[in-house]
Coordinates of all heavy atoms in Angstrom, one line a residue:
H303 N 3.5 25.2 28.9 CA 4.3 26.3 28.2 C 4.7 27.4 29.2 O 5.9 27.9 29.1 CB 3.5 26.9 27.2 CG 3.3 26.1 25.9 ND1 3.1 26.6 24.7 CD2 3.4 24.8 25.7 CE1 2.9 25.7 23.8 NE2 3.2 24.6 24.3
D304 N 3.9 27.6 30.2 CA 4.3 28.6 31.2 C 3.7 28.2 32.5 O 2.4 28.2 32.7 CB 3.7 30.0 30.8 CG 4.0 31.1 31.8 OD1 4.7 30.8 32.8 OD2 3.6 32.2 31.6
A305 N 4.5 27.8 33.5 CA 4.0 27.3 34.8 C 3.2 28.3 35.6 O 2.5 28.0 36.5 CB 5.2 26.8 35.6
H306 N 3.4 29.6 35.2 CA 2.7 30.7 35.9 C 1.6 31.3 35.0 O 1.3 32.5 35.2 CB 3.7 31.7 36.3 CG 4.8 31.3 37.2 ND1 4.6 30.8 38.5 CD2 6.1 31.0 36.9 CE1 5.8 30.4 39.0 NE2 6.7 30.5 38.1
C307 N 1.1 30.5 34.1 CA 0.1 31.1 33.2 C -1.1 31.6 34.0 O -1.7 30.9 34.9 CB -0.4 30.0 32.2 SG -1.7 30.5 31.1
P308 N -1.6 32.8 33.7 CA -2.7 33.4 34.4 C -4.1 33.0 33.9 O -5.1 33.5 34.5 CB -2.4 34.9 34.3 CG -1.8 35.0 32.9 CD -1.0 33.8 32.7
N309 N -4.2 32.2 32.9 CA -5.5 31.8 32.3 C -6.3 31.1 33.4 O -6.0 30.0 33.8 CB -5.3 31.0 31.1 CG -6.5 31.0 30.3 OD1 -7.7 31.2 30.8 ND2 -6.4 30.8 28.9
R310 N -7.4 31.7 33.8 CA -8.2 31.0 34.9 C -9.2 30.0 34.3 O -9.8 29.2 35.0 CB -9.1 32.1 35.5 CG -8.2 33.3 36.2 CD -9.1 34.2 37.0 NE -10.2 34.8 36.1 CZ -9.9 35.9 35.4 NH1 -8.7 36.5 35.4 NH2 -10.9 36.4 34.6
G311 N -9.3 30.0 32.9 CA -10.3 29.0 32.3 C -11.7 29.6 32.3 O -12.0 30.6 32.9
V312 N -12.6 28.9 31.7 CA -13.9 29.3 31.6 C -14.8 28.1 31.4 O -14.4 27.0 30.9 CB -14.1 30.3 30.4 CG1 -13.9 29.6 29.0 CG2 -15.5 31.0 30.5
M313 N -16.1 28.1 31.8 CA -16.9 27.0 31.7 C -17.2 26.6 30.2 O -17.4 27.5 29.3 CB -18.3 27.3 32.3 CG -18.2 27.6 33.8 SD -17.3 26.2 34.7 CE -18.5 24.8 34.4
A314 N -17.1 25.4 29.9 CA -17.2 24.9 28.5 C -18.4 25.3 27.8 O -18.4 25.6 26.6 CB -16.9 23.4 28.4
H315 N -19.6 25.2 28.5 CA -20.9 25.4 27.8 C -21.0 26.8 27.3 O -21.7 27.1 26.3 CB -22.0 25.0 28.7 CG -22.2 26.0 29.9 ND1 -21.6 25.8 31.1 CD2 -23.0 27.1 30.0 CE1 -21.9 26.8 31.9 NE2 -22.8 27.6 31.3
K316 N -20.3 27.7 28.0 CA -20.4 29.1 27.5 C -19.6 29.3 26.2 O -20.1 29.9 25.3 CB -19.8 30.1 28.6 CG -20.6 30.1 29.9 CD -20.0 31.1 30.8 CE -20.8 31.2 32.1 NZ -20.2 32.2 33.1
V317 N -18.4 28.7 26.1 CA -17.6 28.8 25.0 C -18.3 28.1 23.8 O -18.4 28.6 22.6 CB -16.2 28.2 25.1 CG1 -15.4 28.3 23.9 CG2 -15.6 28.9 26.3
E318 N -18.9 26.9 24.0 CA -19.5 26.2 23.0 C -20.7 27.0 22.4 O -21.0 26.9 21.3 CB -20.0 24.8 23.5 CG -18.9 23.9 23.9 CD -19.4 22.6 24.5 OE1 -20.6 22.5 24.8 OE2 -18.6 21.7 24.7
A319 N -21.4 27.6 23.3 CA -22.6 28.4 22.9 C -22.2 29.5 21.9 O -22.8 29.8 20.9 CB -23.4 29.0 24.0
V320 N -21.0 30.2 22.3 CA -20.5 31.3 21.4 C -20.1 30.7 20.0 O -20.5 31.3 18.9 CB -19.3 31.9 22.0 CG1 -18.6 33.0 21.1 CG2 -19.8 32.7 23.3
V321 N -19.5 29.6 20.1 CA -19.0 29.0 18.8 C -20.2 28.6 17.9 O -20.2 28.8 16.7 CB -18.1 27.8 19.0 CG1 -17.8 27.0 17.7 CG2 -16.8 28.2 19.7
I322 N -21.2 27.9 18.5 CA -22.4 27.5 17.7 C -23.1 28.7 17.2 O -23.6 28.6 16.0 CB -23.3 26.7 18.6 CG1 -22.6 25.4 19.0 CG2 -24.6 26.4 17.9 CD1 -23.4 24.6 20.0
R323 N -23.3 29.7 18.0 CA -23.9 31.0 17.4 C -23.2 31.6 16.3 O -23.8 32.0 15.3 CB -24.1 32.0 18.6 CG -25.2 31.7 19.5 CD -25.6 33.0 20.3 NE -24.4 33.5 21.0 CZ -24.1 33.3 22.3 NH1 -24.7 32.3 22.9 NH2 -23.0 33.8 22.8
D324 N -21.8 31.6 16.3 CA -21.1 32.2 15.3 C -21.1 31.3 14.0 O -21.1 31.9 13.0 CB -19.7 32.5 15.8 CG -19.0 33.6 14.9 OD1 -19.5 34.8 14.9 OD2 -18.0 33.3 14.2
L325 N -21.2 30.0 14.2 CA -21.2 29.2 13.0 C -22.6 29.4 12.3 O -22.6 29.4 11.1 CB -21.1 27.7 13.5 CG -19.7 27.3 13.8 CD1 -19.7 25.8 14.4 CD2 -18.7 27.3 12.6
A326 N -23.6 29.6 13.1 CA -24.9 29.9 12.5 C -24.9 31.2 11.7 O -25.5 31.3 10.6 CB -26.0 29.9 13.6
R327 N -24.2 32.2 12.2 CA -24.0 33.4 11.6 C -23.3 33.2 10.3 O -23.7 33.8 9.2 CB -23.3 34.5 12.4 CG -22.9 35.8 11.7 CD -21.8 36.5 12.5 NE -20.6 35.8 12.6 CZ -19.7 35.6 11.6 NH1 -19.9 36.2 10.4 NH2 -18.6 35.0 11.8
L328 N -22.2 32.5 10.3 CA -21.4 32.2 9.1 C -22.2 31.5 8.1 O -22.2 31.8 6.9 CB -20.2 31.4 9.5 CG -19.2 31.1 8.4 CD1 -18.6 32.3 7.8 CD2 -18.1 30.1 8.9
A329 N -23.1 30.6 8.5 CA -23.9 29.8 7.6 C -25.0 30.7 6.8 O -25.3 30.4 5.7 CB -24.6 28.7 8.3
A330 N -25.3 31.8 7.5 CA -26.4 32.7 6.8 C -25.7 33.6 5.8 O -26.5 34.1 5.0 CB -27.0 33.5 8.0
E331 N -24.4 33.8 5.8 CA -23.8 34.7 4.9 C -23.7 34.0 3.5 O -23.6 32.7 3.5 CB -22.4 35.0 5.3 CG -22.4 35.9 6.7 CD -21.1 36.2 7.1 OE1 -20.0 35.7 6.4 OE2 -20.8 36.9 8.1
P332 N -23.7 34.7 2.4 CA -23.6 34.1 1.1 C -22.2 33.4 0.9 O -21.3 34.0 1.3 CB -23.8 35.2 0.1 CG -23.6 36.5 0.9 CD -24.0 36.1 2.4
A333 N -22.2 32.3 0.3 CA -20.9 31.6 0.1 C -20.1 32.3 -1.0 O -20.7 32.8 -2.0 CB -21.2 30.2 -0.3
P334 N -18.8 32.4 -1.0 CA -18.0 32.9 -2.0 C -18.1 32.1 -3.3 O -18.4 30.9 -3.2 CB -16.6 32.9 -1.4 CG -16.6 31.8 -0.4 CD -18.0 31.8 0.2
P335 N -17.9 32.7 -4.4 CA -17.9 32.0 -5.7 C -16.9 30.9 -5.8 O -15.7 31.1 -5.2 CB -17.7 33.1 -6.8 CG -17.0 34.1 -6.0 CD -17.5 34.1 -4.6
T336 N -17.2 29.8 -6.3 CA -16.3 28.7 -6.4 C -15.5 28.8 -7.8 O -16.0 29.4 -8.7 CB -17.0 27.3 -6.4 OG1 -18.0 27.3 -7.5 CG2 -17.8 27.2 -5.1
V337 N -14.3 28.2 -7.8 CA -13.5 28.1 -8.9 C -13.9 26.9 -9.8 O -13.9 25.8 -9.3 CB -12.0 28.0 -8.5 CG1 -11.1 27.9 -9.8 CG2 -11.6 29.2 -7.7
Q338 N -14.2 27.2 -11.0 CA -14.6 26.1 -11.9 C -13.3 25.5 -12.6 O -12.5 26.2 -13.0 CB -15.6 26.5 -13.0 CG -16.9 27.1 -12.4 CD -17.7 26.0 -11.7 OE1 -17.6 24.8 -12.1 NE2 -18.4 26.3 -10.6
A339 N -13.2 24.2 -12.5 CA -12.1 23.6 -13.2 C -12.4 22.1 -13.5 O -13.4 21.6 -13.0 CB -10.9 23.5 -12.2
D340 N -11.6 21.5 -14.4 CA -11.9 20.1 -14.7 C -11.6 19.2 -13.5 O -11.1 19.7 -12.6 CB -11.0 19.7 -15.9 CG -11.2 20.5 -17.2 OD1 -12.4 20.9 -17.4 OD2 -10.3 20.7 -18.0
G341 N -12.1 18.0 -13.6 CA -12.0 17.1 -12.5 C -10.5 16.8 -12.2 O -9.6 16.8 -13.1
E342 N -10.1 16.7 -10.9 CA -8.7 16.6 -10.5 C -8.1 15.3 -11.1 O -7.0 15.3 -11.5 CB -8.7 16.5 -9.0 CG -7.2 16.4 -8.4 CD -7.2 16.3 -6.9 OE1 -8.3 16.4 -6.3 OE2 -6.2 16.1 -6.4
A343 N -8.9 14.2 -11.1 CA -8.4 13.0 -11.7 C -8.0 13.1 -13.2 O -7.0 12.6 -13.6 CB -9.4 11.8 -11.4
A344 N -9.0 13.8 -13.9 CA -8.7 13.9 -15.3 C -7.4 14.8 -15.6 O -6.6 14.4 -16.5 CB -9.9 14.6 -16.0
C345 N -7.3 15.8 -14.8 CA -6.1 16.7 -14.9 C -4.8 15.9 -14.6 O -3.8 16.1 -15.2 CB -6.2 17.9 -14.0 SG -7.5 19.1 -14.6
R346 N -4.9 15.0 -13.6 CA -3.7 14.3 -13.2 C -3.3 13.3 -14.3 O -2.2 13.1 -14.6 CB -4.1 13.5 -11.9 CG -2.8 12.9 -11.2 CD -3.2 12.3 -9.9 NE -3.9 13.1 -8.9 CZ -3.4 14.0 -8.2 NH1 -2.0 14.1 -8.1 NH2 -4.1 14.7 -7.3
R347 N -4.3 12.7 -15.0 CA -4.1 11.8 -16.1 C -3.4 12.6 -17.2 O -2.6 12.1 -17.9 CB -5.4 11.1 -16.6 CG -5.9 10.1 -15.5 CD -6.9 9.2 -16.2 NE -8.1 9.9 -16.6 CZ -9.1 10.1 -15.9 NH1 -9.2 9.7 -14.6 NH2 -10.1 10.8 -16.3
T348 N -4.0 13.8 -17.6 CA -3.4 14.6 -18.6 C -1.9 14.9 -18.3 O -1.1 14.9 -19.2 CB -4.2 15.9 -18.7 OG1 -5.6 15.6 -19.1 CG2 -3.6 16.8 -19.9
L349 N -1.6 15.3 -17.1 CA -0.3 15.6 -16.7 C 0.6 14.4 -16.8 O 1.8 14.5 -17.4 CB -0.2 16.1 -15.3 CG 1.1 16.5 -14.7 CD1 1.9 17.4 -15.6 CD2 1.1 16.9 -13.3
E350 N 0.2 13.2 -16.5 CA 1.0 12.0 -16.6 C 1.2 11.7 -18.1 O 2.4 11.3 -18.4 CB 0.2 10.8 -16.0 CG 0.2 10.8 -14.5 CD -0.7 9.8 -13.9 OE1 -1.4 8.9 -14.7 OE2 -0.8 9.7 -12.6
R351 N 0.3 11.9 -19.0 CA 0.5 11.7 -20.4 C 1.6 12.7 -20.9 O 2.4 12.3 -21.7 CB -0.8 11.8 -21.1 CG -1.8 10.7 -20.9 CD -2.9 10.6 -22.0 NE -3.7 11.9 -21.9 CZ -4.8 11.9 -21.2 NH1 -5.2 10.9 -20.5 NH2 -5.5 13.0 -21.2

Side-chain angles (χ1 to χ4, degrees):
H303 285 205
D304 181 2
H306 305 288
C307 179
N309 197 336
R310 301 184 303 273
V312 67
M313 297 307 296
H315 70 273
K316 294 182 178 181
V317 179
E318 291 175 352
V320 173
V321 173
I322 293 171
R323 285 197 303 269
D324 203 60
L325 286 173
R327 173 196 62 80
L328 181 64
E331 296 180 355
T336 60
V337 178
Q338 298 296 325
D340 295 334
E342 182 182 355
C345 291
R346 199 178 301 278
R347 290 194 298 271
T348 300
L349 178 58
E350 289 174 355
R351 287 196 297 269

